[in-house]
């Protein structure tokens, strides 16, 4: 689904690897009958590897992203060091605090404080690493896995209006990361503007999600 942040993760890795791929977008309200054949849990994203006929599709965004990173060694995203790789995966587990707060904001108009508190963890981690990206001098696995929600900050602003308060003084490293990632080729290859995100959420909230927008 074009506006699913989890599906966006897969596109980002494919773009970063410069791998040729074909995308089929679906309507999550009226799911096609064939979806169960490629995604038994009826979730997106799902990845079919054409060269490996007879093999089941892959589901779950982090599993797909890690598979792609290992399958296509060009521009490696996860650290080669086993400990650093494990630490990055733990950091992404902590990102659940942001994804949970994000949905709470969109569905209940509450949870903004929880969102900022969870984002504090990533601000402090960037300070600790002393690098522009979580991947060092270039975007890495963590950067691409969290980007879809940073791209959707305007949706929070759209929902909460004047109660939205992203503080660049509180999050200077994250603010810098957002600016840098907007210029990354992989990100630009699958980027939706704030206005496009807000329009999709407006239609979704109205009960008539515009799944064809940008598809």
């Amino acid at each position: 689904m074009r506006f699913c942040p989890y599906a966006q993760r897969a596109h980002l890795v494919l773009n970063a690897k410069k791998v040729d791929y074909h995308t089929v977008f679906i309507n999550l309200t009226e799911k096609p009958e064939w979806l169960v054949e490629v995604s038994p849990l009826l979730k997106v994203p799902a990845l079919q590897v054409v060269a490996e006929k007879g093999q089941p599709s892959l589901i779950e965004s982090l599993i797909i992203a890690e598979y792609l990173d290992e399958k296509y060694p060009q521009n490696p995203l996860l650290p080669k060091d086993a400990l650093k790789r494990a630490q990055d995966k733990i950091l992404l587990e902590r990102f659940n605090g942001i994804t949970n707060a994000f949905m709470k904001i969109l569905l209940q108009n509450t949870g903004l404080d929880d969102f900022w508190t969870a984002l504090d963890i990533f601000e402090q981690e960037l300070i600790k690493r002393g690098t522009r990206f979580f991947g060092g001098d270039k975007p890495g696995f963590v950067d691409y896995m969290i980007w879809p929600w940073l791209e959707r900050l305007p949706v929070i602003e759209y929902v909460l209006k004047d109660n939205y308060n992203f503080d660049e003084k509180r999050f200077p490293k994250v603010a810098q990361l957002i600016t840098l990632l907007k210029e990354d080729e992989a990100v630009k290859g699958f980027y939706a503007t704030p206005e496009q995100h807000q329009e999709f959420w407006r239609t979704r909230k109205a009960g008539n999600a515009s799944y064809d927008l940008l598809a």
Side-chain angles (χ1 to χ4, degrees), residues 170-184:
R170 178 176 176 179
F171 302 108
K173 298 290 286 185
V174 171
Q176 180 189 45
L177 179 67
I178 291 172
T179 300
L180 291 170
L181 284 174
K182 283 182 178 179
E183 297 303 315
D184 178 73

Side-chain angles (χ1 to χ4, degrees), residues 5-135:
Y6 296 98
Q8 186 175 2
R9 284 174 161 176
H11 283 90
L12 289 170
V13 177
L14 287 163
N15 289 348
K17 298 287 184 176
K18 293 181 168 50
V19 175
D20 291 332
Y21 64 95
H22 174 69
T23 303
V24 177
F25 293 115
I26 66 168
N27 182 323
L28 289 181
T29 302
E30 299 177 4
K31 298 174 182 177
E33 293 182 0
W34 53 258
L35 181 61
V36 69
E37 299 175 11
V38 296
S39 181
L41 300 180
L42 300 179
K43 299 170 68 174
V44 294
L47 178 72
Q48 280 187 306
V49 183
V50 177
E52 299 180 9
K53 293 182 179 180
Q55 297 297 319
S57 303
L58 299 180
I59 57 174
E60 300 294 346
S61 62
L62 291 178
I63 292 174
I64 290 173
E66 187 172 355
Y67 163 80
L68 291 170
D69 193 39
E70 184 174 339
K71 178 71 174 179
Y72 302 99
Q74 65 270 29
N75 187 22
L77 301 178
L78 277 166
K80 292 182 179 179
D81 180 80
L83 179 59
K84 291 181 179 179
R85 188 164 60 248
Q87 290 171 336
D88 275 4
K89 291 181 180 181
I90 291 172
L91 187 60
L92 286 173
E93 283 294 317
R94 303 187 74 182
F95 193 71
N96 289 333
I98 287 179
T99 61
N100 292 338
F102 180 79
M103 290 309 300
K104 190 175 181 180
I105 292 167
L106 266 55
L107 298 177
Q108 303 176 22
N109 284 28
T110 62
L112 185 59
D113 288 342
D114 292 338
F115 188 94
W116 298 140
T117 298
L119 192 60
D120 274 326
I121 295 170
F122 290 80
E123 174 71 23
Q124 294 306 310
E125 183 63 24
L126 278 172
I127 293 173
K128 178 182 176 182
R129 296 190 183 196
T131 56
R132 298 186 304 163
F133 300 100
F134 288 99

Side-chain angles (χ1 to χ4, degrees), residues 161-174:
K161 304 294 190 294
D162 292 340
N163 291 324
Y164 176 79
N165 56 346
F166 179 73
D167 186 352
E168 292 192 12
K169 292 183 178 179
R170 178 176 176 179
F171 302 108
K173 298 290 286 185
V174 171

